[in-house]
Amino acid sequence: MSTTPPVLAAELALAWADIQRHHPELPDLAAPESLIGESSSACGAELSFERLLHEAVHGIAAARGVRDTSRAGRYHNRRFLAIAEELGLDHADEPHPSSGFSLVTLNPEARRRYRPTIERLGRALKAHSAATATDTARSFRGPAARHGSSGGGVRVKAVCDCGRNVRVVPSVLAQAPIVCGGCGKPFRIAEVAAVG
């Protein structure tokens, strides 16, 4: 089984589509690969289905025009919490002083509903972790795309078909294509471009 970022990104996209089946207002996931290796102290560092469902809460909040965080996306407010409950996430009774209600967990009903998806994504994540444990050059980290911010993120190499490249934060590239002035084609994350 191949465990390159595009394959894991495809598994993330399938899991996202499963969430969309239950919550049709959830927008499409623009760049699943931006979640691979992403670290965010407010949302948890480990990628999992639970984390994906957390991100879906942000997606629905954005679709509804609801401001669900403050403090540069670190503090998750009660509006986040209300949507999280709709998606099957439980929470502590009291907010964390710095991250609010960001620490959410799957409730038993959601765990049953998504069980096959959780298991499939878990296998893909495990295989990806094993395959990339010693290959840190092929993994990348970036800020959470939901914040629309490029501040503080690690930049990755993006390439176009003519061979030019730029360094960019993955979430910035996910917002809209960056077009090469030389050939007019869009830049893509190097790891994705090399495979596809």
Side-chain angles (χ1 to χ4, degrees):
M1 172 198 296
S2 176
T3 55
T4 60
V7 172
L8 181 55
E11 293 294 339
L12 288 165
L14 287 172
W16 191 265
D18 191 26
I19 299 168
Q20 285 179 309
R21 277 191 284 282
H22 297 282
H23 304 280
E25 70 183 304
L26 178 63
D28 290 339
L29 184 58
E33 63 276 2
S34 69
L35 294 172
I36 300 169
E38 181 182 291
S39 177
S40 171
S41 60
C43 303
E46 185 177 327
L47 185 56
S48 64
F49 182 80
E50 195 167 76
R51 172 76 186 279
L52 196 62
L53 202 56
H54 175 123
E55 297 301 327
V57 173
H58 291 300
I60 288 176
R64 293 178 182 174
V66 171
R67 187 166 182 224
D68 63 339
T69 63
S70 59
R71 300 182 197 163
R74 288 186 310 273
Y75 191 87
H76 293 59
N77 60 36
R78 291 192 185 276
R79 291 180 293 272
F80 170 86
L81 184 59
I83 298 170
E85 289 173 348
E86 290 177 37
L87 270 68
L89 292 167
D90 285 337
H91 56 85
D93 291 333
E94 296 298 319
H96 184 275
S98 63
S99 63
F101 294 101
S102 70
L103 302 175
V104 289
T105 58
L106 281 168
N107 68 29
E109 181 184 332
R111 193 172 300 283
R112 278 189 300 276
R113 177 186 312 134
Y114 294 112
R115 189 174 139 243
T117 303
I118 292 167
E119 290 172 356
R120 181 178 168 142
L121 182 60
R123 286 190 301 270
L125 287 165
K126 185 176 178 181
H128 176 74
S129 293
T132 59
T134 58
D135 188 7
T136 56
R138 289 195 47 86
S139 62
F140 61 90
R141 299 189 180 278
R146 71 186 165 277
H147 303 307
S149 166
S150 62
V154 175
R155 284 147 176 60
V156 297
K157 184 178 178 181
V159 298
C160 74
D161 291 339
C162 73
R164 297 181 73 210
N165 65 72
V166 295
R167 291 280 174 183
V168 62
V169 176
S171 62
V172 171
L173 194 59
Q175 291 172 10
I178 298 174
V179 180
C180 174
C183 70
K185 294 185 180 177
F187 284 93
R188 298 180 314 272
I189 301 293
E191 288 84 0
V192 174
V195 175

